[in-house]
Amino acid sequence: SMHHCGVACRNLQESVDFYCKYMGFEVLSRFTEMDGEDEIKIALLKCDTYVVALFESSVWGEQSYEWALGGLNHISIACGD
């Protein structure tokens, strides 16, 4: 089954507001990680048993396509073993 998906977004707060207001998600946690000089803001949201991980990078712009392809845009499948 699907466990969660990861979505790169331009503005984390606007995305969190959208998912919570219009799609019924609740915020599980928010935190920031550093990847070299890149600050990545992360919010984990949950609706029923499904989780969405939203990511905002400080390098958003011309590099955003390459940044998202680096693994942040993803789906995760749950397995029994």
Side-chain angles (χ1 to χ4, degrees):
S1 65
M2 293 289 293
H3 182 267
H4 76 274
C5 70
V7 180
C9 55
R10 188 175 316 231
N11 183 299
L12 186 69
Q13 187 58 55
E14 287 179 6
S15 297
V16 167
D17 292 345
F18 174 82
Y19 275 84
C20 291
K21 182 175 181 178
Y22 297 108
M23 300 184 72
F25 281 80
E26 296 178 13
V27 177
L28 289 177
S29 64
R30 294 179 73 138
F31 52 96
T32 301
E33 292 186 358
M34 296 301 295
D35 183 14
E37 294 183 21
D38 183 15
E39 178 183 67
I40 302 171
K41 298 176 187 175
I42 302 165
L44 300 177
L45 311 176
K46 184 175 183 178
C47 184
D48 296 322
T49 61
Y50 194 71
V51 175
V52 172
L54 300 175
F55 304 92
E56 176 190 339
S57 170
S58 62
V59 299
W60 192 269
E62 291 182 19
Q63 302 169 351
S64 62
Y65 181 73
E66 292 82 9
W67 176 78
L69 285 177
L72 294 179
N73 283 336
H74 66 277
I75 60 170
S76 178
I77 300 171
C79 341
D81 61 356

Coordinates of all heavy atoms in Angstrom, one line a residue:
S1 N 0.8 -1.2 0.0 CA 0.0 0.0 0.0 C 0.9 1.2 0.0 O 2.1 1.2 0.3 CB -0.9 0.0 1.2 OG -0.2 0.1 2.4
M2 N 0.3 2.4 -0.3 CA 1.0 3.6 -0.3 C 1.2 4.0 1.2 O 0.3 4.0 2.0 CB 0.2 4.7 -1.0 CG 0.1 4.5 -2.5 SD 1.6 4.8 -3.3 CE 1.9 6.5 -3.1
H3 N 2.5 4.4 1.5 CA 2.8 4.9 2.8 C 2.7 6.4 2.9 O 2.1 7.0 3.7 CB 4.1 4.4 3.3 CG 4.4 4.8 4.7 ND1 5.2 5.9 5.0 CD2 4.1 4.3 5.9 CE1 5.3 6.1 6.3 NE2 4.7 5.1 6.9
H4 N 3.5 7.1 2.0 CA 3.5 8.5 2.0 C 4.0 9.0 0.6 O 4.6 8.2 -0.2 CB 4.3 9.1 3.1 CG 5.8 9.0 2.9 ND1 6.5 7.9 3.3 CD2 6.7 9.9 2.4 CE1 7.8 8.1 3.0 NE2 7.9 9.3 2.5
C5 N 3.9 10.3 0.4 CA 4.6 10.9 -0.8 C 5.3 12.1 -0.3 O 5.0 12.7 0.7 CB 3.6 11.2 -1.9 SG 2.5 12.6 -1.5
G6 N 6.3 12.5 -1.1 CA 7.1 13.7 -0.8 C 6.9 14.7 -1.9 O 6.9 14.3 -3.1
V7 N 6.7 15.9 -1.6 CA 6.4 16.9 -2.6 C 7.2 18.2 -2.3 O 7.2 18.7 -1.2 CB 4.9 17.3 -2.5 CG1 4.6 18.4 -3.6 CG2 4.0 16.1 -2.7
A8 N 8.0 18.6 -3.3 CA 8.8 19.8 -3.2 C 7.8 21.0 -3.5 O 7.0 20.9 -4.4 CB 9.9 19.8 -4.2
C9 N 7.9 22.0 -2.6 CA 7.0 23.1 -2.8 C 7.8 24.4 -2.7 O 8.8 24.5 -2.2 CB 5.8 23.1 -1.8 SG 6.4 23.0 -0.1
R10 N 7.2 25.4 -3.3 CA 7.9 26.7 -3.4 C 7.8 27.5 -2.1 O 8.7 28.2 -1.6 CB 7.3 27.6 -4.5 CG 8.0 28.9 -4.8 CD 7.3 29.6 -6.0 NE 7.1 28.5 -7.0 CZ 7.5 28.6 -8.2 NH1 8.1 29.7 -8.6 NH2 7.3 27.6 -9.1
N11 N 6.6 27.4 -1.4 CA 6.4 28.0 -0.1 C 5.7 27.0 0.8 O 4.6 26.7 0.7 CB 5.5 29.3 -0.3 CG 5.2 30.0 0.9 OD1 4.7 29.5 1.9 ND2 5.6 31.3 0.9
L12 N 6.5 26.6 1.8 CA 6.0 25.6 2.7 C 4.8 26.0 3.5 O 3.8 25.2 3.6 CB 7.1 25.2 3.7 CG 6.8 24.0 4.6 CD1 6.8 22.7 3.9 CD2 7.8 23.9 5.8
Q13 N 4.7 27.2 4.0 CA 3.6 27.6 4.8 C 2.3 27.6 4.0 O 1.2 27.2 4.4 CB 3.8 28.9 5.5 CG 2.7 29.3 6.5 CD 2.5 28.2 7.5 OE1 3.4 27.9 8.2 NE2 1.3 27.7 7.7
E14 N 2.4 28.1 2.7 CA 1.2 28.1 1.9 C 0.7 26.7 1.6 O -0.5 26.5 1.5 CB 1.5 28.9 0.6 CG 1.6 30.4 0.7 CD 1.9 31.1 -0.6 OE1 2.0 30.5 -1.6 OE2 2.1 32.3 -0.5
S15 N 1.7 25.8 1.3 CA 1.3 24.4 1.0 C 0.7 23.8 2.2 O -0.3 23.0 2.1 CB 2.5 23.7 0.6 OG 3.0 24.2 -0.6
V16 N 1.3 24.0 3.4 CA 0.7 23.4 4.7 C -0.7 23.9 4.8 O -1.7 23.2 5.1 CB 1.6 23.8 5.9 CG1 0.8 23.5 7.2 CG2 2.9 23.0 5.8
D17 N -0.9 25.2 4.7 CA -2.3 25.8 4.8 C -3.3 25.2 3.8 O -4.4 24.9 4.2 CB -2.2 27.3 4.6 CG -1.5 28.1 5.7 OD1 -1.2 27.5 6.8 OD2 -1.1 29.2 5.4
F18 N -2.9 25.0 2.6 CA -3.7 24.4 1.6 C -4.1 22.9 2.0 O -5.3 22.6 2.0 CB -3.0 24.4 0.2 CG -3.8 23.6 -0.8 CD1 -4.9 24.2 -1.5 CD2 -3.5 22.3 -1.1 CE1 -5.6 23.5 -2.5 CE2 -4.2 21.6 -2.1 CZ -5.3 22.2 -2.7
Y19 N -3.1 22.1 2.3 CA -3.4 20.7 2.6 C -4.3 20.6 3.9 O -5.2 19.7 3.9 CB -2.1 19.9 2.9 CG -1.5 19.4 1.6 CD1 -0.7 20.2 0.8 CD2 -1.7 18.1 1.2 CE1 -0.1 19.7 -0.4 CE2 -1.2 17.6 0.0 CZ -0.4 18.4 -0.7 OH 0.2 17.9 -1.9
C20 N -4.1 21.5 4.9 CA -4.9 21.4 6.1 C -6.3 22.0 5.9 O -7.3 21.3 6.3 CB -4.2 22.2 7.2 SG -2.7 21.3 7.8
K21 N -6.4 23.1 5.2 CA -7.7 23.7 5.0 C -8.6 23.0 4.0 O -9.8 22.8 4.3 CB -7.5 25.2 4.6 CG -8.8 26.0 4.4 CD -8.6 27.4 4.1 CE -9.9 28.2 4.0 NZ -9.6 29.6 3.7
Y22 N -8.1 22.6 2.9 CA -8.9 22.1 1.8 C -8.9 20.5 1.7 O -9.8 20.0 1.1 CB -8.5 22.7 0.5 CG -8.7 24.2 0.4 CD1 -7.6 25.0 0.5 CD2 -10.0 24.7 0.4 CE1 -7.8 26.4 0.4 CE2 -10.2 26.1 0.4 CZ -9.1 26.9 0.4 OH -9.3 28.3 0.4
M23 N -7.9 19.9 2.3 CA -7.8 18.4 2.1 C -7.9 17.6 3.4 O -7.8 16.4 3.4 CB -6.5 18.1 1.3 CG -6.5 18.8 0.0 SD -5.0 18.4 -1.0 CE -5.4 16.7 -1.5
G24 N -8.0 18.3 4.5 CA -8.2 17.7 5.8 C -7.0 17.1 6.5 O -7.2 16.3 7.4
F25 N -5.8 17.5 6.1 CA -4.6 17.0 6.7 C -4.4 17.8 8.1 O -4.8 18.9 8.3 CB -3.4 17.2 5.8 CG -3.3 16.2 4.7 CD1 -4.1 16.3 3.6 CD2 -2.4 15.1 4.9 CE1 -4.0 15.3 2.6 CE2 -2.3 14.1 3.9 CZ -3.1 14.2 2.7
E26 N -3.6 17.1 8.9 CA -3.1 17.7 10.2 C -1.6 17.7 10.2 O -1.0 16.8 9.7 CB -3.6 16.9 11.4 CG -5.1 16.9 11.5 CD -5.6 16.1 12.7 OE1 -4.7 15.7 13.6 OE2 -6.8 15.8 12.8
V27 N -1.0 18.7 10.8 CA 0.5 18.7 10.9 C 1.0 17.8 12.0 O 0.5 17.8 13.1 CB 1.0 20.2 11.2 CG1 2.5 20.2 11.4 CG2 0.5 21.1 10.1
L28 N 1.8 16.8 11.6 CA 2.5 15.9 12.5 C 3.7 16.5 13.1 O 3.9 16.5 14.3 CB 2.9 14.6 11.8 CG 1.8 13.7 11.4 CD1 2.4 12.5 10.7 CD2 1.0 13.2 12.6
S29 N 4.6 17.1 12.2 CA 5.8 17.8 12.7 C 6.3 18.7 11.7 O 6.0 18.6 10.5 CB 6.8 16.7 13.1 OG 7.3 16.0 12.0
R30 N 7.2 19.6 12.1 CA 7.9 20.5 11.2 C 9.3 20.6 11.7 O 9.6 20.6 12.9 CB 7.3 21.9 11.2 CG 5.9 21.9 10.7 CD 5.3 23.3 10.7 NE 6.0 24.2 9.8 CZ 5.4 25.1 9.0 NH1 4.1 25.3 9.1 NH2 6.1 25.8 8.1
F31 N 10.3 20.6 10.8 CA 11.7 20.7 11.2 C 12.5 21.2 10.0 O 12.0 21.3 8.9 CB 12.2 19.4 11.7 CG 12.0 18.2 10.8 CD1 13.0 17.8 9.9 CD2 10.8 17.5 10.9 CE1 12.8 16.7 9.1 CE2 10.6 16.4 10.0 CZ 11.6 16.0 9.2
T32 N 13.7 21.5 10.2 CA 14.7 22.0 9.2 C 15.9 21.2 9.2 O 16.4 20.8 10.3 CB 15.0 23.5 9.5 OG1 13.8 24.3 9.5 CG2 16.0 24.0 8.4
E33 N 16.4 20.8 8.0 CA 17.6 20.1 7.8 C 18.6 20.9 6.9 O 18.1 21.7 6.1 CB 17.4 18.7 7.2 CG 16.6 17.8 8.1 CD 16.5 16.4 7.5 OE1 17.0 16.1 6.4 OE2 15.9 15.5 8.2
M34 N 19.9 20.7 7.1 CA 20.8 21.4 6.3 C 21.4 20.3 5.3 O 21.8 19.2 5.7 CB 21.9 22.0 7.1 CG 21.5 23.1 8.0 SD 20.7 24.5 7.1 CE 22.1 25.1 6.1
D35 N 21.6 20.7 4.1 CA 22.3 19.9 3.1 C 23.3 20.7 2.5 O 23.1 21.5 1.5 CB 21.3 19.4 2.0 CG 21.9 18.5 1.0 OD1 23.0 18.0 1.2 OD2 21.3 18.2 -0.1
G36 N 24.5 20.7 3.0 CA 25.6 21.7 2.7 C 25.1 23.0 3.1 O 24.8 23.3 4.2
E37 N 25.0 24.0 2.1 CA 24.5 25.3 2.4 C 23.0 25.5 2.2 O 22.5 26.5 2.4 CB 25.3 26.3 1.5 CG 26.8 26.4 1.9 CD 27.5 27.5 1.0 OE1 26.8 28.4 0.5 OE2 28.7 27.4 0.9
D38 N 22.4 24.4 1.7 CA 20.9 24.4 1.4 C 20.2 24.1 2.7 O 20.3 23.1 3.3 CB 20.6 23.4 0.4 CG 19.2 23.4 -0.1 OD1 18.4 24.4 0.3 OD2 18.8 22.4 -0.7
E39 N 19.3 25.0 3.1 CA 18.4 24.8 4.2 C 17.1 24.2 3.7 O 16.4 24.8 2.8 CB 18.1 26.1 4.9 CG 17.1 26.0 6.1 CD 16.8 27.3 6.7 OE1 16.2 28.2 6.1 OE2 17.2 27.5 7.9
I40 N 16.7 23.1 4.2 CA 15.5 22.4 3.7 C 14.5 22.4 4.8 O 14.7 21.8 5.9 CB 15.7 21.0 3.2 CG1 16.8 21.0 2.1 CG2 14.5 20.3 2.7 CD1 17.3 19.7 1.7
K41 N 13.3 23.1 4.6 CA 12.2 23.1 5.6 C 11.3 21.9 5.3 O 11.0 21.7 4.1 CB 11.5 24.4 5.6 CG 12.3 25.6 5.9 CD 11.5 26.9 5.7 CE 12.3 28.1 5.9 NZ 11.6 29.3 5.6
I42 N 10.9 21.2 6.3 CA 10.1 20.0 6.1 C 8.9 20.0 7.0 O 9.0 20.4 8.2 CB 10.9 18.7 6.4 CG1 12.2 18.7 5.5 CG2 10.1 17.5 6.2 CD1 13.2 17.7 5.9
A43 N 7.7 19.7 6.4 CA 6.5 19.5 7.2 C 5.9 18.1 6.9 O 5.8 17.8 5.7 CB 5.5 20.6 6.9
L44 N 5.6 17.4 7.9 CA 4.9 16.1 7.7 C 3.5 16.3 8.1 O 3.1 16.7 9.2 CB 5.6 15.0 8.6 CG 7.0 14.7 8.4 CD1 7.6 13.7 9.3 CD2 7.3 14.3 6.9
L45 N 2.6 15.9 7.2 CA 1.1 16.1 7.4 C 0.5 14.7 7.3 O 0.9 13.8 6.6 CB 0.5 17.0 6.3 CG 1.2 18.3 6.0 CD1 0.6 19.1 4.9 CD2 1.3 19.2 7.3
K46 N -0.6 14.5 8.0 CA -1.3 13.3 8.0 C -2.8 13.4 7.8 O -3.4 14.3 8.4 CB -1.0 12.5 9.3 CG -1.6 11.1 9.3 CD -1.2 10.4 10.6 CE -1.7 8.9 10.5 NZ -1.3 8.2 11.7
C47 N -3.4 12.6 7.0 CA -4.9 12.5 6.9 C -5.2 11.0 6.9 O -4.8 10.3 6.1 CB -5.3 13.1 5.6 SG -7.1 13.2 5.4
D48 N -6.0 10.6 7.9 CA -6.3 9.2 8.2 C -4.9 8.5 8.4 O -4.2 8.8 9.3 CB -7.1 8.6 7.1 CG -8.5 9.2 7.0 OD1 -9.1 9.5 8.1 OD2 -9.0 9.4 5.9
T49 N -4.6 7.5 7.5 CA -3.3 6.8 7.6 C -2.3 7.3 6.6 O -1.2 6.7 6.5 CB -3.6 5.3 7.4 OG1 -4.1 5.1 6.1 CG2 -4.5 4.8 8.4
Y50 N -2.6 8.3 5.8 CA -1.7 8.7 4.7 C -0.9 9.9 5.1 O -1.4 10.9 5.8 CB -2.5 9.0 3.4 CG -1.6 9.2 2.2 CD1 -1.0 8.1 1.7 CD2 -1.4 10.4 1.7 CE1 -0.2 8.2 0.6 CE2 -0.5 10.5 0.6 CZ 0.1 9.4 0.1 OH 0.9 9.5 -1.0
V51 N 0.4 9.9 4.8 CA 1.3 11.0 5.2 C 1.8 11.7 3.9 O 2.2 11.0 2.9 CB 2.5 10.5 6.0 CG1 3.5 11.6 6.3 CG2 1.9 9.9 7.3
V52 N 1.9 13.0 4.0 CA 2.5 13.8 2.9 C 3.7 14.5 3.5 O 3.5 15.2 4.6 CB 1.5 14.8 2.3 CG1 2.2 15.8 1.3 CG2 0.4 14.1 1.6
A53 N 4.9 14.4 2.9 CA 6.0 15.2 3.4 C 6.3 16.3 2.4 O 6.5 16.1 1.2 CB 7.3 14.2 3.4
L54 N 6.2 17.5 2.9 CA 6.4 18.7 2.1 C 7.8 19.3 2.3 O 8.2 19.3 3.5 CB 5.3 19.8 2.4 CG 3.9 19.4 2.2 CD1 3.0 20.5 2.7 CD2 3.6 19.1 0.7
F55 N 8.4 19.7 1.3 CA 9.8 20.2 1.4 C 9.9 21.5 0.7 O 9.4 21.7 -0.4 CB 10.8 19.2 0.6 CG 10.7 17.8 1.1 CD1 9.9 16.9 0.6 CD2 11.5 17.4 2.2 CE1 9.8 15.6 1.0 CE2 11.5 16.1 2.6 CZ 10.7 15.2 2.0
E56 N 10.6 22.5 1.3 CA 10.9 23.8 0.7 C 12.4 24.0 0.8 O 13.0 23.9 1.9 CB 10.2 24.9 1.4 CG 10.6 26.3 0.9 CD 10.1 27.4 1.7 OE1 9.1 27.3 2.5 OE2 10.7 28.5 1.6
S57 N 13.1 24.2 -0.3 CA 14.5 24.4 -0.3 C 14.9 25.9 -0.4 O 14.2 26.7 -1.1 CB 15.1 23.7 -1.5 OG 16.5 24.0 -1.7
S58 N 16.0 26.3 0.2 CA 16.4 27.6 0.1 C 17.0 27.9 -1.2 O 17.3 29.1 -1.6 CB 17.4 28.0 1.2 OG 18.6 27.1 1.1
V59 N 17.3 26.9 -2.1 CA 17.8 27.1 -3.4 C 16.8 27.1 -4.5 O 17.1 26.9 -5.7 CB 19.0 26.1 -3.7 CG1 20.1 26.2 -2.8 CG2 18.4 24.7 -3.8
W60 N 15.5 27.2 -4.1 CA 14.4 27.2 -5.1 C 14.7 28.3 -6.1 O 15.1 29.4 -5.8 CB 13.1 27.4 -4.4 CG 12.0 27.1 -5.4 CD1 11.3 28.0 -6.2 CD2 11.4 25.9 -5.6 NE1 10.4 27.4 -6.9 CE2 10.4 26.1 -6.6 CE3 11.6 24.6 -5.1 CZ2 9.6 25.0 -7.1 CZ3 10.8 23.6 -5.6 CH2 9.8 23.8 -6.6
G61 N 14.5 28.0 -7.4 CA 14.7 28.9 -8.4 C 15.1 28.2 -9.7 O 14.5 27.1 -10.0
E62 N 16.1 28.6 -10.4 CA 16.6 27.9 -11.6 C 17.0 26.5 -11.3 O 16.9 25.6 -12.1 CB 17.7 28.7 -12.2 CG 17.3 30.0 -12.8 CD 18.5 30.7 -13.5 OE1 19.5 30.1 -13.8 OE2 18.3 31.9 -13.7
Q63 N 17.5 26.2 -10.1 CA 17.9 24.9 -9.7 C 16.8 24.0 -9.2 O 17.0 22.8 -8.9 CB 19.0 25.0 -8.6 CG 20.2 25.8 -8.9 CD 21.0 26.1 -7.7 OE1 20.6 25.8 -6.6 NE2 22.2 26.7 -7.9
S64 N 15.6 24.5 -9.2 CA 14.5 23.8 -8.5 C 14.2 22.4 -9.2 O 13.9 21.4 -8.5 CB 13.2 24.6 -8.4 OG 12.8 24.9 -9.8
Y65 N 14.3 22.3 -10.5 CA 14.0 21.1 -11.2 C 15.0 20.0 -10.8 O 14.6 18.9 -10.4 CB 14.0 21.3 -12.7 CG 13.6 20.0 -13.5 CD1 12.4 19.5 -13.5 CD2 14.6 19.4 -14.2 CE1 12.1 18.4 -14.2 CE2 14.4 18.2 -14.9 CZ 13.1 17.7 -14.9 OH 12.8 16.6 -15.6
E66 N 16.3 20.4 -10.8 CA 17.3 19.4 -10.5 C 17.2 19.1 -9.0 O 17.4 17.9 -8.6 CB 18.7 20.0 -10.8 CG 19.0 20.1 -12.2 CD 18.5 21.4 -12.8 OE1 18.0 22.3 -12.1 OE2 18.5 21.5 -14.1
W67 N 16.9 20.0 -8.2 CA 16.7 19.8 -6.7 C 15.6 18.8 -6.5 O 15.8 17.9 -5.7 CB 16.4 21.2 -6.1 CG 16.2 21.1 -4.6 CD1 17.1 20.9 -3.6 CD2 14.9 21.2 -4.0 NE1 16.4 20.9 -2.4 CE2 15.1 21.0 -2.6 CE3 13.6 21.3 -4.4 CZ2 14.1 21.1 -1.6 CZ3 12.6 21.3 -3.5 CH2 12.8 21.2 -2.1
A68 N 14.4 19.0 -7.1 CA 13.3 18.1 -6.9 C 13.6 16.7 -7.4 O 13.2 15.7 -6.8 CB 12.1 18.6 -7.5
L69 N 14.4 16.6 -8.5 CA 14.7 15.3 -9.0 C 15.7 14.5 -8.1 O 15.9 13.3 -8.2 CB 15.4 15.4 -10.4 CG 14.4 15.7 -11.5 CD1 15.2 15.9 -12.8 CD2 13.4 14.7 -11.7
G70 N 16.3 15.2 -7.2 CA 17.3 14.6 -6.3 C 16.7 13.7 -5.3 O 17.4 13.1 -4.4
G71 N 15.4 13.4 -5.3 CA 14.8 12.4 -4.4 C 13.7 13.0 -3.5 O 13.0 12.3 -2.8
L72 N 13.5 14.3 -3.5 CA 12.5 14.9 -2.6 C 11.1 14.6 -3.1 O 10.2 14.4 -2.3 CB 12.8 16.3 -2.4 CG 14.1 16.6 -1.6 CD1 14.3 18.1 -1.4 CD2 14.1 15.9 -0.2
N73 N 10.9 14.7 -4.4 CA 9.6 14.3 -5.0 C 9.6 12.8 -5.1 O 10.4 12.3 -5.8 CB 9.4 14.9 -6.4 CG 9.0 16.4 -6.3 OD1 8.5 16.9 -5.4 ND2 9.2 17.1 -7.4
H74 N 8.8 12.1 -4.3 CA 8.8 10.7 -4.3 C 7.5 10.1 -3.8 O 6.7 10.8 -3.2 CB 10.0 10.2 -3.5 CG 9.8 10.5 -2.0 ND1 10.1 11.7 -1.5 CD2 9.3 9.8 -1.0 CE1 9.9 11.7 -0.2 NE2 9.4 10.5 0.2
I75 N 7.3 8.8 -4.0 CA 6.3 8.1 -3.3 C 6.9 7.0 -2.5 O 8.0 6.5 -2.9 CB 5.2 7.5 -4.2 CG1 5.8 6.5 -5.3 CG2 4.4 8.6 -4.9 CD1 4.8 5.8 -6.1
S76 N 6.3 6.6 -1.4 CA 6.9 5.5 -0.6 C 5.8 4.4 -0.4 O 4.7 4.7 -0.1 CB 7.3 6.1 0.8 OG 7.8 5.0 1.6
I77 N 6.2 3.2 -0.7 CA 5.3 2.1 -0.6 C 5.6 1.3 0.7 O 6.7 1.0 1.0 CB 5.4 1.2 -1.8 CG1 5.1 2.0 -3.1 CG2 4.6 -0.1 -1.7 CD1 5.5 1.3 -4.4
A78 N 4.5 1.0 1.4 CA 4.6 0.2 2.7 C 4.6 -1.3 2.3 O 3.9 -1.7 1.5 CB 3.5 0.5 3.6
C79 N 5.6 -2.1 2.9 CA 5.6 -3.5 2.7 C 5.5 -4.2 4.0 O 5.9 -3.7 5.0 CB 6.9 -4.0 2.0 SG 7.9 -2.8 1.2
G80 N 5.1 -5.5 3.9 CA 4.9 -6.3 5.2 C 6.2 -6.7 5.8 O 6.3 -6.9 7.0
D81 N 7.3 -6.9 5.0 CA 8.5 -7.4 5.6 C 9.6 -6.4 5.3 O 10.8 -6.7 5.4 CB 8.8 -8.7 5.0 CG 9.0 -8.7 3.5 OD1 8.8 -7.7 2.9 OD2 9.4 -9.8 3.0

